[in-house]
Amino acid sequence: MNTVAAPQEGAIRVALLGCGTVGGEVARLLTEQAGELAARAGVPVELAGIAVRRPDKHPELPPELLTADAEKLVTSDEVDVVVELVGGIEPVRGWLLAALKAGKSVVTANKALLAEHSADLFEAADAAGADLYFEAAVAGAIPLLRPLRESLAGDRITRVMGIVNGTTNFILSAMDSSGAGYAETLDEASRLGYAEADPTADVDGYDAASKAAILASLAFHTRVTASDVHREGIADVTAADLAAARMLGRTVKLLAICERVTDDDGVESVSARVHPVMIPRSHQLAGVGGAFNAVYVEADAAGELMFYGQGAGGSPTASAVLGDLVAVARNRVVGGRGPRESAHAALPVRPMGQTPTRYHVSLSVADRAGVLAQVAQAFADHGVSIAAVRQSDVGDRASLVVVTHQAPDAALESTVDEIGRLDVVHEVVSVMRVEGEDQ
Ligand SMILES: NC(=O)c1ccc[n+]([C@@H]2O[C@H](COP(=O)([O-])OP(=O)(O)OC[C@H]3O[C@@H](n4cnc5c(N)ncnc54)[C@H](O)[C@@H]3O)[C@@H](O)[C@H]2O)c1
Ligand SMILES: N[C@@H](CCO)C(=O)O
Ligand code: NA
C-alpha cells in the first residue's frame, strides 16, 4: 500500500490524520467539493494520504491513500498541510511538532493538545514559517477563534462567557425539559458523535476547560493552560438542583467564563473557570438547547457580541476545519502567513478562590424563630452580602433560598460550609453559582 498518492501539478497536498466522526466528513467534503474549494483557495486542495489506526476498517476510502503510519506521513515531501483529527496529546503532539519543523502547516481540532502545548506548537510554526489554525477546537462550526485572533485584534476584550461543550448541554437540556436520565442521554450524545472518545472528558468538564484555556489565551493575549482553569463538571448536578432552579424560573448550564479582572489598585489578571451555573430562563443562554453552543464576547469598543451555532458533530466541525484549510491554502498561494501566537500581555492567572462570583443556596431548615437570623449571620461573618431571600414552609420545616451579591468564591464556599454545620439547618439542598441577574 502506498503512503502517498501521485501529486497533482500545483496542488496543496493534505495529510489527513484520523478519519472518524470529523475526519470522515472532512474527507468526504474535500472530495465532493474539490472544484469549489480549488476556486476559493486559488489552487487545488487534495488528499495526499489518510492515517487511521486500522486501514482495513475503511473500505469507503481509496486504499492507495490509507496508511497506519501517521509519523511517516506527516513529514512526507508530498505533503504541504497536516489536518489532525485524531485527538489526545500523545502521540499527536510529536507528529505535529515534526510536521511543523518540516515546514508543513497544521490544521487541528484538538483542544486537549492546544490547551497544554500551544506555546511549543506556535514556536515550531514560527521557526518554520508555517501556519497553525484550530477554529474547530472551540465551539465546532461557530466562527469564534478567527474573530478573537483577527477581527477583534484591535479591541480590548474583557469577558468571554458561554456554553462550549455540546455533550453536557445536550444532557442538561434533556434532564431539564423531559426529566430524561443522565446515563441514557450521554449514550445518545455519543451515538450522535458529540461526545469525546472518553466521554468523561465532557461530563467532568475537561473538554470545556481546554476550550476555556484557548479562549482566555486568545482573548487576553496571555498563555493560559488547562491546569490554570478552575474546573467542575456536571456529574454532581442533580434532579434536585434542576427542580430548585425550575421553581425559581431558572435553569442550569455548564458555562466557561473567562474574565479580565482588575483589582482596586488597577492590577489586571485573568480568571478562567468552568462550572455549572444557574441562569434565569429569560437569559439568552437558557434557550440554547441540544448540542448547540453560544458564546458572549464583551469588548471595550465593540460592546457585546454573541456567537451561536452547532458546537459538535462531524459535519459542523468539518466546516470549521475546511475553512482553516482554505485559509492555509490561500496563505501559501500568496506566500503569506496567518496570525501567530499573541501572548505579549502575559497577565497573571487569578486563583478561583479570589474570583468574584455569586451563589444560590437552597436550604432545608427548622421552621422556628431565629433561624433566618442565624443563617444571615453566617453570611455576614464571611463578608458576604445577601441579595435575596425566599422562604416557604414545607411541613415542620422551611425551605430557604438565599441568593448572594458578588463575593470572592472562597468566602462563599466557607459560608456554605459553616451553614451546613448549623443545628437549625437540616440539609443544604443545592448550591450553585448564578449569572445573569440584577440582584
Ligand atoms: N466529534 C466532535 O463533535 C468534535 C468537535 C470538535 C472537535 N473534535 C475533536 O476532533 C478530534 C477527532 O474527534 P472525532 O470525534 O472525529 O474522533 P473519532 O474517535 O471519531 O476519530 C478518531 C480517528 O483517529 C484515528 N486514530 C486514532 N489513533 C490513531 C493512530 N495512532 N494513528 C492514526 N490514526 C489514529 C482513528 O482511526 C479515527 O479515525 C478530537 O481532537 C476531538 O476533540 C471533535
Ligand atoms: N465533545 C465535544 C465536541 C466538540 O468540541 C462537545 O461535546 O462539545
Ligand atoms: Na469554532
Side-chain angles (χ1 to χ4, degrees), residues 135 138-140 142:
E135 182 59 70
V138 183
I142 307 171

Side-chain angles (χ1 to χ4, degrees), residues 353-354 359 378-379 382-384 407-417:
Q354 293 170 24
Y359 271 31
F379 281 96
H382 290 87
V384 176
D409 197 79
L412 289 159
E413 201 181 319
S414 23
T415 309
V416 173
D417 280 352

Side-chain angles (χ1 to χ4, degrees), residues 40-43 325-336:
R40 291 173 199 169
V43 66
L325 195 46
V326 168
V328 169
R330 284 175 176 163
N331 292 343
R332 292 241 161 186
V333 167
V334 298

